[in-house]
């Protein structure tokens, strides 16, 4: 079933994205605010050092006072003085499923945010505009979760083994086939955690002597995976295709920095939707650049899978392109599917390589069966395979 | 952001109370626990002394932290002391720099790669003598060692405050997914803002957090399962001695043992094939075993190929005896 019209041809609309520039006075006042906060921070540190004010944070043990200090003074400056003032806006625990409305635990502080105390009451029916529950699959409706409860009773929760040793269940095989069908690619492989999918597979795909071109605003997991791989990393300005083209040309002309040999692989790391800015990747131009310069494309669709595109297949469908254009399609199940975990999809050779060489397959536990069942159910609903038209 | 549910808070409190520390922090994936905890404290320019047989997750955590890594031979305290002394002489040459470089020792309670236990009392003495901090990784020993399952600190009777950070994953004994770090609030609180696997990733599904709480309940209510487990481990350890061609590697109370070939045939591939035949023979007769898997090119010190034998508390004694005799048969027919 399709909800809208999908483009069969190349995306012809012009790309319009609005980013409001902050007016000058706002920027100046923000910096002034930080400056005042810093000055007061130094003042308070001074008073604490001289004992004029109480030390509120936890301190080092008596026996270990002459060890090298664990945190340098300046590292914690920001945490101590600026973050503590506004800390009550973050990390608020909730006590129900993160649906459209949810319940918050009430939390008060007696000493200006140094410690929190839960009063035990809950604030009910708060409108939720902060959770990544794009398609509403994080629900507790008993009918909807029927299959998940069956799987829970059949398999339990723990796998206690890695993929290569004893951890591959028939549920994983079923899930991987379904993911491959959903995306329209040959094969897919699922992992237990979205963050770990990036940080453990990028080192398996690239190594020393390769070049990684990554966008300015890439997520920490991509940055960590790129650093762990040992390849050379170059950053191009956010969504700026001219900058990327210049970097590609330089890379091919000049080769590796000292030896001037050709790069073994050039891979471009981008995301479908960037979580910090809310912008979409310019996929058509990127694919044409990749084909021209023969680089590989790694697309991280953590936020866009399930949410973007006429039938929810992600940015590839939104732009009307075929999934064969992207070499490595990666995504997570946390946002649109209400579960946990990540996947990598693409050609069969790629996925077979990852099955043997990925760090996660050898050392990290596989996905737990009820979670896999939740993803299967959500995906079937999206593809219309369960007979309803909800998808 | 809005992903901390009251179940998570309850699990953190229960874990902190169970391990008798001040605070605990939960991660949603076992591998990411230690791989995010180490880079949160140890940065470029700090020095970490780590055992050779440390598991892959620790190696990745060290690689991400960009610190200077010094390997010492497995469980060899003399080697470690030598390295610490060398470091001390270096410090005296440059005292200003020494005052700001932090030093850590990273060890595991029960090593996954070799099945033996680290000599914790000596490590504590070295800690206070040379002023290094200890990070303990208890993935295999949590829920196994000690009278109440609290791990290696209870096994040796050491005050838990002496260890700076204990990290464990819940995927082994607690049969859930995820991991936790526990210790004093001074240390754990830092990870809430700077642990990459904590801040930048989704939290544990409430289903699995509730499963972990239930497992903790079972552990607290029946403390005699640890005795039973230890008895079964010793039984199988004894039963597997004397198999011709295979030697048992691991302590007698470790639930995960390795069976290595007594004489290797020279090439790793042939060893792996031979062990695979043993495993297939057992699999056809009703016992599921697996070879210990490693990424051959990525490990720093690759352990020799082996079969991993894992015991649970639910297996009956007949099953254990049957498994041991089957392994003896397999070894005799295939390895001689």
């Amino acid at each position: 079933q399709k909800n809208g019209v999908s483009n069969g041809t190349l995306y012809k609309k012009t790309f319009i994205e609005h980013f409001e520039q902050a007016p000058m006075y706002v920027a100046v006042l923000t910096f002034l605010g930080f400056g005042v906060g810093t000055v007061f921070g130094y003042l308070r540190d001074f008073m604490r050092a001289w004992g004029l004010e109480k030390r509120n944070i936890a301190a080092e043990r008596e026996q270990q006072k002459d060890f090298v200090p664990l945190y340098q003074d300046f590292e914690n400056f920001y945490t101590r003085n600026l973050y503590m003032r506004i800390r009550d806006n973050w990390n608020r625990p909730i006590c129900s499923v993160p649906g459209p409305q949810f319940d918050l635990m009430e939390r008060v502080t007696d000493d200006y945010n140094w410690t929190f105390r839960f009063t035990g009451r809950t604030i009910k029916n708060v409108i939720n505009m902060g959770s990544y529950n794009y398609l509403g699959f994080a629900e507790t409706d008993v009918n909807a979760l029927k299959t998940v409860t069956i799987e829970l009773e059949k398999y339990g929760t723990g796998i206690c083994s890695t993929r290569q040793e004893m951890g591959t269940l028939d549920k994983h095989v079923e899930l991987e086939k379904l993911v491959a069908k959903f995306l329209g690619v040959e094969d897919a492989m699922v992992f237990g955690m979205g963050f770990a999918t990036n940080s453990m597979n990028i080192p398996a795909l690239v190594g020393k002597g390769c070049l990684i071109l990554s966008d300015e605003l890439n997520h920490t997991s991509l940055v960590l995976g790129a650093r762990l791989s040992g390849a050379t990393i170059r950053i191009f300005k956010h969504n700026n295709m001219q900058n990327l083209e210049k970097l590609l040309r330089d890379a091919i002309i000049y080769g590796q920095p000292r030896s001037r040999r050709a790069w073994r692989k050039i891979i471009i790391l981008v995301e479908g939707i960037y979580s910090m800015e809310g912008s979409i990747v310019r996929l058509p131009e990127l694919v044409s650049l990749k084909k021209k310069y023969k680089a590989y494309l790694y697309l991280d669709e953590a936020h866009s899978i399930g949410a973007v595109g006429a039938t929810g297949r992600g940015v590839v469908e939104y732009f009307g392109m075929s999934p064969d254009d992207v070499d490595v399609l990666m995504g997570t199940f946390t946002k649109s599917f209400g579960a946990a975990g990540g996947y990598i999809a693409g050609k069969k050779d790629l996925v077979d390589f990852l099955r043997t060489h990925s760090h996660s397959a050898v050392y990290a536990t596989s996905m737990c069966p009820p979670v896999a069942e939740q993803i299967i159910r959500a995906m079937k609903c999206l593809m219309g395979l369960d007979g309803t038209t909800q998808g | 952001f809005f992903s901390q549910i009251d179940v998570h808070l309850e699990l953190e409190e229960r874990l902190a109370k169970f391990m008798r520390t001040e605070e605990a922090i939960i991660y949603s994936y076992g591998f990411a626990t230690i791989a995010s905890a180490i880079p949160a404290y140890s940065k470029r320019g700090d020095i970490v002394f780590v055992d050779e047989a440390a598991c892959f997750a620790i190696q990745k955590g060290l690689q991400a932290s960009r610190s200077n890594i010094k390997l010492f031979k497995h469980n060899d305290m003399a080697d470690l002391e030598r390295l610490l002394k060398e470091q001390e002489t270096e410090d005296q040459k440059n005292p200003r720099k020494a005052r700001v470089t932090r030093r850590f020792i990273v060890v595991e309670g029960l090593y996954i790669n070799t099945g033996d236990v680290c000599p914790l009392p000596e490590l504590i003495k070295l800690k206070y003598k040379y002023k290094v901090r200890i990070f303990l990784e208890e993935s295999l020993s949590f829920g196994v060692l000690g009278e109440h399952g609290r791990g290696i600190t209870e096994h040796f009777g050491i005050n838990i405050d002496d260890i700076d950070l204990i990290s464990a994953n819940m995927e082994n004994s607690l049969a859930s997914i995820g991991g936790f770090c526990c210790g004093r609030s001074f240390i754990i609180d830092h990870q809430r803002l700077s642990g990459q696997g904590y801040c930048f990733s989704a939290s544990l599904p409430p289903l699995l957090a509730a499963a972990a709480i239930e497992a903790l309940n079972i552990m607290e209510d029946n403390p005699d399962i640890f005795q039973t487990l230890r008895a079964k481990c010793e039984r199988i350890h004894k039963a597997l001695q004397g198999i011709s061609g295979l030697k048992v590697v691991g302590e007698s109370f470790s639930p995960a043992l390795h069976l290595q070939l007594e004489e290797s045939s020279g090439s790793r591939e042939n060893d792996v094939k031979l062990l695979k035949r043993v495993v297939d023979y057992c699999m056809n007769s009703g016992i599921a075993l697996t070879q210990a898997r490693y990424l051959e090119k990525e490990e720093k010190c690759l352990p020799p190929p082996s079969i991993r034998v894992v015991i649970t508390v639910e297996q009956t004694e007949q099953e254990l005896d049957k498994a041991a005799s089957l392994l003896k048969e397999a070894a005799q027919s295939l390895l001689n």
Side-chain angles (χ1 to χ4, degrees):
Chain A
Q1 278 105 345
K2 294 186 195 255
N3 281 339
V5 179
S6 63
N7 288 343
T9 57
L10 206 55
Y11 196 70
K12 292 223 177 59
K13 289 199 275 221
T14 48
F15 214 88
I16 309 174
E17 270 178 340
H18 297 281
F19 286 111
E20 253 184 76
Q21 278 288 70
M24 182 59 106
Y25 70 92
V26 172
V28 167
L29 283 178
T30 315
F31 280 115
L32 259 184
F34 268 117
V36 169
T38 318
V39 164
F40 269 100
Y42 275 119
L43 181 65
R44 280 184 178 247
D45 268 353
F46 177 71
M47 295 208 307
R48 268 190 223 117
W50 282 89
L52 292 171
E53 199 173 297
K54 243 183 338 158
R55 278 172 206 243
N56 278 331
I57 48 172
E60 180 67 276
R61 275 174 85 201
E62 278 308 319
Q63 294 99 320
Q64 291 182 215
K65 273 271 172 3
D66 51 349
F67 278 39
V68 177
L70 190 57
Y71 313 120
Q72 285 168 339
D73 258 346
F74 192 67
E75 248 174 50
N76 267 15
F77 184 77
Y78 175 73
T79 320
R80 267 201 312 270
N81 298 312
L82 296 170
Y83 180 66
M84 278 294 173
R85 292 170 186 272
I86 48 176
R87 197 159 84 112
D88 60 343
N89 283 328
W90 278 271
N91 283 346
R92 301 194 65 166
I94 63 178
C95 25
S96 72
V97 71
Q101 284 108 15
F102 62 174
D103 305 328
L104 272 180
M105 287 177 80
E106 197 178 347
R107 188 167 76 160
V108 296
T109 172
D110 301 317
D111 47 0
Y112 300 109
N113 289 349
W114 286 102
T115 54
F116 290 109
R117 187 170 51 92
F118 292 111
T119 59
R121 287 195 299 260
T122 53
I123 312 176
K124 295 218 180 283
N125 278 343
V126 181
I127 297 183
N128 181 5
M129 296 198 82
S131 301
Y132 294 137
N133 188 9
Y134 296 147
L135 296 178
F137 280 117
E139 54 191 345
T140 47
D141 184 23
V142 174
N143 283 338
L145 292 179
K146 223 176 1 186
T147 42
V148 182
T149 16
I150 298 177
E151 295 303 321
L152 180 60
E153 282 168 16
K154 186 167 153 201
Y155 286 105
T157 55
I159 306 266
C160 309
S161 184
T162 65
R163 277 304 288 264
Q164 278 197 4
E165 290 185 14
M166 285 261 180
T168 308
L169 304 174
D170 49 353
K171 272 271 155 263
H172 292 133
V173 178
E174 195 189 328
L175 176 59
E176 288 174 358
K177 287 209 184 67
L178 197 60
V179 170
K181 203 163 125 194
F182 179 74
L183 293 169
V185 289
E186 287 176 24
D187 205 358
M189 181 172 178
V190 297
F191 303 95
M193 180 179 172
F195 184 99
T197 311
N198 273 330
S199 56
M200 293 202 258
N201 289 310
I202 298 183
L205 291 172
V206 290
K208 275 199 164 51
C210 305
L211 175 66
I212 295 184
L213 294 167
S214 100
D215 192 295
E216 227 178 355
L217 299 177
N218 266 341
H219 191 251
T220 318
S221 54
L222 287 166
V223 172
L224 186 63
R227 271 177 44 199
L228 282 177
S229 67
T232 320
I233 309 176
R234 302 230 172 109
I235 307 199
F236 63 92
K237 293 202 184 48
H238 178 59
N239 256 352
N240 190 335
M241 294 296 122
Q242 285 85 4
N243 195 239
L244 176 61
E245 179 158 14
K246 178 170 176 310
L247 280 178
L248 273 169
R249 289 171 88 100
D250 285 343
I252 295 188
I253 296 173
Y254 292 116
Q256 297 188 22
R258 259 169 274 183
S259 60
R260 299 291 194 209
R261 270 186 288 186
W263 295 101
R264 279 177 34 210
K265 263 188 272 216
I266 303 184
I267 191 165
I268 308 178
L269 298 179
V270 280
E271 292 190 30
I273 293 187
Y274 290 91
S275 48
M276 290 296 128
E277 288 279 318
S279 52
I280 299 189
V281 66
R282 292 172 196 267
L283 199 57
E285 301 166 33
L286 205 51
V287 170
S288 58
L289 265 183
K290 159 194 114 86
K291 286 190 176 138
K292 183 171 163 194
Y293 291 102
K294 301 215 181 23
Y296 294 106
L297 187 56
Y298 183 106
L299 184 62
D300 178 348
E301 295 212 65
H303 286 266
S304 48
I305 188 74
V308 174
T311 56
R313 300 309 200 257
V315 229
V316 169
E317 192 184 12
Y318 180 77
F319 286 109
M321 318 198 66
S322 110
D324 294 328
D325 289 332
V326 183
D327 300 292
V328 189
L329 285 158
M330 177 261 166
T332 61
F333 298 118
T334 330
K335 319 288 187 322
S336 308
F337 296 97
Y343 68 86
I344 289 206
K347 301 241 169 2
K348 195 157 182 356
D349 307 335
L350 169 74
V351 178
D352 283 342
F353 176 79
L354 279 180
R355 278 190 218 280
T356 41
H357 286 88
S358 157
H359 302 332
S360 162
V362 184
Y363 293 107
T365 8
S366 38
M367 200 186 264
C368 121
V371 174
E373 178 55 36
Q374 155 79 356
I375 303 171
I376 291 180
R377 146 186 112 81
M379 229 175 229
K380 283 197 177 146
C381 184
L382 279 182
M383 287 165 72
L385 290 175
D386 63 345
T388 67
T389 50
Q390 265 180 332
Chain B
F1 311 109
F2 300 139
S3 69
Q4 227 189 358
I5 307 190
D6 48 357
V7 195
H8 292 137
L9 291 176
E10 196 187 325
L11 180 58
E12 286 183 4
E13 264 178 54
R14 289 292 299 276
L15 279 168
K17 212 165 41 163
F18 181 73
M19 294 292 286
R20 296 205 196 120
T21 56
E22 280 179 18
E23 207 174 320
I25 179 176
I26 309 258
Y27 283 86
S28 54
Y29 206 44
F31 192 96
T33 311
I34 191 70
S36 314
I38 296 184
Y41 300 104
S42 176
K43 313 270 183 213
R44 202 188 280 260
D46 295 332
I47 304 173
V48 182
F49 299 96
V50 79
D51 193 300
E52 266 182 355
C55 70
F56 195 69
I58 297 183
Q59 290 174 21
K60 283 291 147 188
L62 291 170
Q63 201 184 345
S65 75
R66 307 263 170 112
S67 327
N68 297 339
I69 305 174
K70 304 220 156 89
L71 294 165
F72 63 91
K73 291 202 193 40
H74 179 58
N75 269 354
D76 189 347
M77 291 296 112
D79 201 28
L80 176 59
E81 187 145 13
R82 175 183 64 86
L83 283 173
L84 285 167
K85 278 208 177 68
E86 277 176 19
Q87 184 58 37
E88 220 183 356
T89 44
E90 288 258 345
D91 286 345
Q92 275 151 5
K93 290 184 209 155
N94 194 346
R96 275 188 72 197
K97 186 167 151 212
R99 242 180 300 143
V100 286
T101 31
R102 296 170 276 229
R103 270 149 261 170
F104 302 99
I105 297 181
V106 178
V107 278
E108 292 187 40
L110 260 180
Y111 287 93
I112 298 182
N113 289 343
T114 58
D116 41 358
V117 80
C118 81
L120 204 52
E122 280 106 44
L123 277 172
I124 304 278
K125 282 197 217 109
L126 283 176
K127 165 184 165 153
Y128 285 113
K129 190 168 162 200
Y130 292 98
K131 313 234 184 321
V132 274
R133 295 177 197 263
I134 300 191
F135 284 178
L136 190 59
E137 158 83 33
E138 291 225 55
S139 292
L140 207 48
S141 49
F142 178 74
V144 166
L145 290 183
E147 264 185 58
H148 297 276
R150 291 201 177 93
I152 194 173
T153 44
E154 202 180 18
H155 180 79
F156 281 119
I158 294 178
N159 180 10
I160 198 138
D161 277 342
D162 275 336
I163 313 278
D164 294 281
L165 179 79
I166 297 187
S167 141
N169 70 12
M170 306 196 276
E171 291 159 8
N172 298 333
S173 298
L174 289 181
S176 164
I177 305 262
F180 67 93
C181 286
C182 62
R184 297 184 65 246
S185 295
F186 175 66
I187 301 190
I188 299 293
D189 223 18
H190 182 66
Q191 277 184 41
R192 288 193 200 273
L193 273 187
S194 60
Q196 288 195 330
Y198 185 77
C199 307
F200 293 112
S201 133
S203 56
L204 201 53
L207 168 75
L208 298 167
I213 295 183
E214 196 49 46
L216 267 181
N217 284 345
I218 296 181
M219 270 168 69
E220 286 180 356
D221 290 336
N222 321 0
D224 44 338
I225 52 177
F226 305 113
Q227 252 77 312
T228 336
L229 179 64
R230 203 164 310 138
K232 293 204 169 130
C233 294
E234 300 206 350
R235 193 193 174 94
I236 199 135
H237 190 87
K238 219 173 12 177
L240 287 177
Q241 302 282 2
I243 298 187
S244 60
L246 291 174
K247 64 173 190 246
V248 179
V249 173
E251 297 268 343
S252 63
F253 47 78
S254 151
L257 308 163
H258 287 261
L259 287 170
Q260 288 173 5
L261 288 173
E262 251 171 37
E263 339 162 334
S264 128
S265 65
S267 90
R268 198 187 167 88
E269 269 195 53
N270 287 344
D271 286 346
V272 169
K273 283 201 186 111
L274 201 50
L275 286 172
K276 185 170 188 325
R277 280 165 54 197
V278 176
V279 169
D280 286 338
Y281 183 97
C282 293
M283 191 79 91
N284 291 339
S285 325
I287 303 279
L289 289 172
T290 171
Q291 282 199 47
R293 295 270 184 195
Y294 306 104
L295 271 176
E296 268 133 40
K297 298 190 203 96
E298 309 269 340
E299 284 258 4
K300 284 217 172 85
C301 310
L302 193 56
S306 58
I307 302 180
R308 186 178 285 151
V309 177
V310 186
I311 299 134
T312 73
V313 81
E314 309 245 330
Q315 285 161 345
T316 64
E317 313 214 328
Q318 288 90 337
E319 287 172 353
L320 290 178
D321 290 336
K322 176 177 168 210
S325 57
L326 202 60
L327 270 170
K328 278 202 177 78
E329 264 180 54
Q332 266 179 341
S333 55
L334 293 170
L335 294 175
N336 281 349

